[in-house]
Amino acid sequence: MLCNRLVSTLRSAGLLSARNFSETAVQASPLNKLTNVSRHSSVERGVVGGLSSVLTAEKTKKHRVTLIHGDGVGPELGSSVVGVFAAIDAPVEWERLELDSLNTDQLQEVVTSINKNGICFKGPLYTPPVGFSRNRTLRKSLDLFANVVPIRSIPGIPSRHQDFDFVLIRENSEGEYSGLEHTLAPGVVQSIKVTTREASLRIARFAFGYARANQRTKVTAIHKANIQKLTDGEFLDCCRTVAKEFSDIQFSEMIIDNTAMQLVMNASQFQVVVTPNLYGNIVANIGAGLLGSPGLLPSYNIGLRGQALFESGNRHVGLDIGGKNVANPIGALISGAHLLRHLGLGTYADKIEDAIDDVVSEKKVRTADIGGNASTTDFTKAVIDRVTGL
């Protein structure tokens, strides 16, 4: 059975009663035992339901994790994560799968694997201007409704602002990414933006539940309801409705264009930001710019049935630098640390983050995007040397 605290937290966020998110589904996920352990108060520890915790797990158990290297810089980032996991002897067994752009059989194999294992680490997948999106198909097939992107300044890496620390909660299933486009007449095309009350209430409750569980006191809803009065109006109304259920959390709302400016001017004003799909992409990219590089941003995606998919926060493919051994692996490694915490392996996750902090603070090994000339392999080796005590 679920522990009382987990049931209480999920119910307070309204998630246990949501369609397709049953108590049974949560019980089947790794989030069934909670402890309050945190190395960095600014780094959230939980995933499903926004729960802040390091989970109890059997350290002798091997956890099977689906691994998709992806395109562009994906294979290099994946190799970095696999190498560091091996160095700390993390009890993870990788199920490596390919996902070519035109192979629907591979896609079904990947979906089956993630549903079976419940957890995946994925490199970026390239989506061409014409053709089907593997990213969107994966998110739809797995019901990955929430994209969680921690955005905080990293000591030792120059950035536009210091000491900002907020978390983006992005609705991951609809909006402009619904894929509904057609030609009305020659030279006239239409894209349909889908916003449903069910999905909007679900992501709002996830965001408020996340804030409460991680001792964050403010949630900001991002919208463009002054122009998109029905779609964004529905999203904003849902956020306002859920805000009334969380009287302990301060609620504010902000138009997306003003948000872009405010992020550049004063990012520290934000704690938890909840957005529709497209605006979340915009905020994540601005966040990467504030940090100093797209290679620094981690993220994870949460499914209705407890699945969790971890990847770099910007999902940038980096086709122009793929295979050149120059990509920054920090964001991917931090995503890997989040994956370990999701499995209840907080001690292993701390080793990785401590090693990254040490390497960054030394300022000797840095990739080109953050002012150095080290390769992906160089940085990975420096982290491995730290975790192994060399």
Side-chain angles (χ1 to χ4, degrees), residues 155-157 330 352-367 370 374 378-387:
I157 295 181
I330 290 178
I352 293 176
E353 290 185 334
D354 285 338
I356 292 172
D357 288 348
D358 288 345
V359 173
V360 168
S361 64
E362 282 185 346
K363 300 182 180 181
K364 294 179 180 178
V365 183
R366 296 192 174 198
T367 48
I370 54 174
D378 292 334
F379 191 92
T380 303
K381 183 179 182 301
V383 171
I384 290 174
D385 287 347
R386 281 288 178 177
V387 298

Short mmCIF file of all heavy atoms in Angstrom, two decimals, residues 155-157 330 352-367 370 374 378-387:
data_model
loop_
_atom_site.label_atom_id
_atom_site.label_comp_id
_atom_site.label_asym_id
_atom_site.label_seq_id
_atom_site.Cartn_x
_atom_site.Cartn_y
_atom_site.Cartn_z
N PRO A 155 26.89 28.08 -9.20
CA PRO A 155 28.06 28.82 -8.70
C PRO A 155 29.32 28.47 -9.50
O PRO A 155 29.60 27.30 -9.76
CB PRO A 155 28.18 28.34 -7.24
CG PRO A 155 26.79 27.91 -6.88
CD PRO A 155 26.21 27.34 -8.14
N GLY A 156 30.04 29.51 -9.88
CA GLY A 156 31.28 29.29 -10.63
C GLY A 156 31.13 29.43 -12.12
O GLY A 156 32.13 29.51 -12.85
N ILE A 157 29.91 29.45 -12.62
CA ILE A 157 29.68 29.64 -14.06
C ILE A 157 29.08 31.02 -14.26
O ILE A 157 27.99 31.31 -13.73
CB ILE A 157 28.75 28.56 -14.63
CG1 ILE A 157 29.43 27.19 -14.55
CG2 ILE A 157 28.39 28.88 -16.09
CD1 ILE A 157 28.61 26.05 -15.10
N ILE A 330 26.93 18.70 -18.63
CA ILE A 330 26.47 18.99 -17.27
C ILE A 330 24.97 18.77 -17.13
O ILE A 330 24.50 18.11 -16.19
CB ILE A 330 26.86 20.42 -16.85
CG1 ILE A 330 28.39 20.52 -16.66
CG2 ILE A 330 26.16 20.81 -15.55
CD1 ILE A 330 28.89 21.91 -16.28
N ILE A 352 27.39 12.39 -7.95
CA ILE A 352 27.52 13.02 -9.26
C ILE A 352 27.47 14.54 -9.13
O ILE A 352 28.31 15.25 -9.69
CB ILE A 352 26.40 12.53 -10.19
CG1 ILE A 352 26.58 11.05 -10.51
CG2 ILE A 352 26.37 13.35 -11.49
CD1 ILE A 352 25.47 10.45 -11.36
N GLU A 353 26.50 15.06 -8.38
CA GLU A 353 26.36 16.51 -8.27
C GLU A 353 27.52 17.14 -7.51
O GLU A 353 27.99 18.23 -7.86
CB GLU A 353 25.02 16.86 -7.62
CG GLU A 353 23.85 16.56 -8.55
CD GLU A 353 22.52 17.01 -7.99
OE1 GLU A 353 22.40 17.09 -6.74
OE2 GLU A 353 21.62 17.26 -8.78
N ASP A 354 28.01 16.45 -6.48
CA ASP A 354 29.18 16.95 -5.76
C ASP A 354 30.39 17.02 -6.69
O ASP A 354 31.17 18.00 -6.65
CB ASP A 354 29.50 16.05 -4.57
CG ASP A 354 28.54 16.24 -3.41
OD1 ASP A 354 27.91 17.31 -3.34
OD2 ASP A 354 28.41 15.31 -2.59
N ALA A 355 30.56 16.00 -7.51
CA ALA A 355 31.70 15.96 -8.43
C ALA A 355 31.59 17.08 -9.47
O ALA A 355 32.59 17.74 -9.79
CB ALA A 355 31.77 14.60 -9.12
N ILE A 356 30.39 17.30 -9.99
CA ILE A 356 30.19 18.40 -10.96
C ILE A 356 30.54 19.72 -10.30
O ILE A 356 31.25 20.55 -10.88
CB ILE A 356 28.74 18.41 -11.47
CG1 ILE A 356 28.47 17.18 -12.34
CG2 ILE A 356 28.46 19.69 -12.28
CD1 ILE A 356 27.01 17.01 -12.73
N ASP A 357 30.03 19.95 -9.09
CA ASP A 357 30.32 21.20 -8.37
C ASP A 357 31.82 21.39 -8.20
O ASP A 357 32.36 22.50 -8.38
CB ASP A 357 29.64 21.20 -7.00
CG ASP A 357 28.13 21.36 -7.09
OD1 ASP A 357 27.64 21.70 -8.19
OD2 ASP A 357 27.44 21.12 -6.09
N ASP A 358 32.52 20.33 -7.83
CA ASP A 358 33.97 20.42 -7.62
C ASP A 358 34.70 20.76 -8.91
O ASP A 358 35.60 21.62 -8.92
CB ASP A 358 34.50 19.10 -7.06
CG ASP A 358 34.08 18.86 -5.62
OD1 ASP A 358 33.63 19.82 -4.96
OD2 ASP A 358 34.19 17.70 -5.15
N VAL A 359 34.34 20.08 -9.99
CA VAL A 359 35.02 20.33 -11.27
C VAL A 359 34.76 21.75 -11.75
O VAL A 359 35.67 22.44 -12.21
CB VAL A 359 34.56 19.30 -12.33
CG1 VAL A 359 35.14 19.66 -13.70
CG2 VAL A 359 35.00 17.90 -11.94
N VAL A 360 33.51 22.21 -11.62
CA VAL A 360 33.17 23.57 -12.05
C VAL A 360 33.91 24.60 -11.21
O VAL A 360 34.45 25.58 -11.73
CB VAL A 360 31.64 23.78 -11.97
CG1 VAL A 360 31.31 25.27 -12.13
CG2 VAL A 360 30.93 22.98 -13.06
N SER A 361 33.95 24.40 -9.89
CA SER A 361 34.58 25.38 -9.01
C SER A 361 36.08 25.48 -9.23
O SER A 361 36.68 26.55 -9.02
CB SER A 361 34.29 25.04 -7.54
OG SER A 361 34.88 23.80 -7.18
N GLU A 362 36.70 24.39 -9.68
CA GLU A 362 38.14 24.41 -9.95
C GLU A 362 38.48 25.24 -11.18
O GLU A 362 39.61 25.73 -11.32
CB GLU A 362 38.66 22.99 -10.14
CG GLU A 362 38.86 22.24 -8.85
CD GLU A 362 39.49 20.88 -9.09
OE1 GLU A 362 39.51 20.43 -10.25
OE2 GLU A 362 39.96 20.27 -8.12
N LYS A 363 37.54 25.37 -12.12
CA LYS A 363 37.69 26.18 -13.34
C LYS A 363 38.83 25.69 -14.24
O LYS A 363 39.35 26.45 -15.05
CB LYS A 363 37.93 27.65 -12.98
CG LYS A 363 36.81 28.28 -12.17
CD LYS A 363 37.08 29.75 -11.89
CE LYS A 363 35.94 30.36 -11.07
NZ LYS A 363 36.17 31.81 -10.80
N LYS A 364 39.21 24.43 -14.10
CA LYS A 364 40.29 23.90 -14.94
C LYS A 364 39.77 23.16 -16.16
O LYS A 364 40.40 23.17 -17.22
CB LYS A 364 41.18 22.96 -14.11
CG LYS A 364 41.95 23.64 -13.00
CD LYS A 364 42.80 22.62 -12.22
CE LYS A 364 43.58 23.28 -11.11
NZ LYS A 364 44.38 22.28 -10.32
N VAL A 365 38.64 22.49 -16.01
CA VAL A 365 38.08 21.70 -17.10
C VAL A 365 36.69 22.22 -17.43
O VAL A 365 35.74 22.02 -16.66
CB VAL A 365 38.00 20.20 -16.72
CG1 VAL A 365 37.48 19.38 -17.89
CG2 VAL A 365 39.36 19.68 -16.27
N ARG A 366 36.61 22.93 -18.56
CA ARG A 366 35.33 23.50 -18.98
C ARG A 366 35.19 23.38 -20.49
O ARG A 366 36.17 23.56 -21.22
CB ARG A 366 35.23 24.98 -18.59
CG ARG A 366 35.24 25.21 -17.09
CD ARG A 366 34.86 26.62 -16.75
NE ARG A 366 34.73 26.79 -15.30
CZ ARG A 366 34.09 27.80 -14.73
NH1 ARG A 366 33.55 28.74 -15.47
NH2 ARG A 366 34.02 27.87 -13.42
N THR A 367 33.98 23.09 -20.92
CA THR A 367 33.73 23.04 -22.36
C THR A 367 33.65 24.46 -22.91
O THR A 367 33.54 25.44 -22.16
CB THR A 367 32.43 22.28 -22.65
OG1 THR A 367 31.39 22.78 -21.80
CG2 THR A 367 32.61 20.79 -22.39
N ILE A 370 31.13 27.39 -21.90
CA ILE A 370 31.24 28.09 -20.61
C ILE A 370 32.67 28.59 -20.38
O ILE A 370 33.14 28.70 -19.26
CB ILE A 370 30.78 27.21 -19.44
CG1 ILE A 370 31.49 25.86 -19.41
CG2 ILE A 370 29.26 27.00 -19.51
CD1 ILE A 370 31.16 25.01 -18.17
N ALA A 374 37.84 22.36 -23.10
CA ALA A 374 37.80 20.92 -22.84
C ALA A 374 36.75 20.25 -23.70
O ALA A 374 35.77 20.86 -24.12
CB ALA A 374 37.51 20.65 -21.37
N ASP A 378 36.73 15.05 -21.83
CA ASP A 378 37.56 15.64 -20.78
C ASP A 378 36.73 15.94 -19.53
O ASP A 378 37.15 15.62 -18.40
CB ASP A 378 38.21 16.94 -21.26
CG ASP A 378 39.26 16.72 -22.34
OD1 ASP A 378 39.83 15.62 -22.39
OD2 ASP A 378 39.48 17.66 -23.14
N PHE A 379 35.57 16.57 -19.73
CA PHE A 379 34.75 16.92 -18.58
C PHE A 379 34.22 15.66 -17.89
O PHE A 379 34.23 15.56 -16.66
CB PHE A 379 33.58 17.82 -18.99
CG PHE A 379 32.85 18.41 -17.81
CD1 PHE A 379 33.22 19.65 -17.31
CD2 PHE A 379 31.83 17.72 -17.17
CE1 PHE A 379 32.58 20.19 -16.19
CE2 PHE A 379 31.18 18.25 -16.06
CZ PHE A 379 31.56 19.49 -15.57
N THR A 380 33.80 14.70 -18.69
CA THR A 380 33.31 13.44 -18.12
C THR A 380 34.39 12.76 -17.30
O THR A 380 34.15 12.26 -16.19
CB THR A 380 32.81 12.51 -19.23
OG1 THR A 380 31.81 13.18 -20.00
CG2 THR A 380 32.25 11.23 -18.67
N LYS A 381 35.61 12.73 -17.84
CA LYS A 381 36.73 12.10 -17.12
C LYS A 381 37.02 12.84 -15.82
O LYS A 381 37.33 12.21 -14.79
CB LYS A 381 37.98 12.09 -18.00
CG LYS A 381 39.17 11.37 -17.35
CD LYS A 381 40.39 11.37 -18.24
CE LYS A 381 41.55 10.60 -17.59
NZ LYS A 381 41.94 11.18 -16.29
N ALA A 382 36.92 14.17 -15.85
CA ALA A 382 37.16 14.94 -14.63
C ALA A 382 36.13 14.59 -13.55
O ALA A 382 36.47 14.47 -12.36
CB ALA A 382 37.13 16.43 -14.93
N VAL A 383 34.88 14.40 -13.96
CA VAL A 383 33.84 14.02 -13.00
C VAL A 383 34.11 12.61 -12.48
O VAL A 383 34.00 12.35 -11.27
CB VAL A 383 32.45 14.10 -13.66
CG1 VAL A 383 31.38 13.49 -12.75
CG2 VAL A 383 32.10 15.55 -13.97
N ILE A 384 34.49 11.71 -13.37
CA ILE A 384 34.80 10.33 -12.97
C ILE A 384 35.98 10.30 -12.00
O ILE A 384 35.97 9.56 -11.00
CB ILE A 384 35.06 9.46 -14.20
CG1 ILE A 384 33.75 9.24 -14.98
CG2 ILE A 384 35.68 8.12 -13.81
CD1 ILE A 384 33.91 8.51 -16.30
N ASP A 385 37.00 11.09 -12.29
CA ASP A 385 38.14 11.16 -11.38
C ASP A 385 37.72 11.61 -9.98
O ASP A 385 38.24 11.12 -8.97
CB ASP A 385 39.21 12.12 -11.93
CG ASP A 385 39.94 11.53 -13.13
OD1 ASP A 385 39.82 10.32 -13.37
OD2 ASP A 385 40.62 12.30 -13.84
N ARG A 386 36.76 12.55 -9.93
CA ARG A 386 36.27 13.02 -8.64
C ARG A 386 35.52 11.94 -7.88
O ARG A 386 35.74 11.73 -6.68
CB ARG A 386 35.37 14.25 -8.85
CG ARG A 386 36.13 15.53 -9.08
CD ARG A 386 36.78 15.99 -7.78
NE ARG A 386 37.57 17.19 -7.97
CZ ARG A 386 38.20 17.83 -7.00
NH1 ARG A 386 38.12 17.39 -5.76
NH2 ARG A 386 38.90 18.92 -7.24
N VAL A 387 34.60 11.29 -8.58
CA VAL A 387 33.76 10.30 -7.87
C VAL A 387 34.55 9.06 -7.48
O VAL A 387 34.16 8.34 -6.56
CB VAL A 387 32.53 9.90 -8.71
CG1 VAL A 387 31.65 11.09 -8.97
CG2 VAL A 387 32.92 9.20 -10.01
#
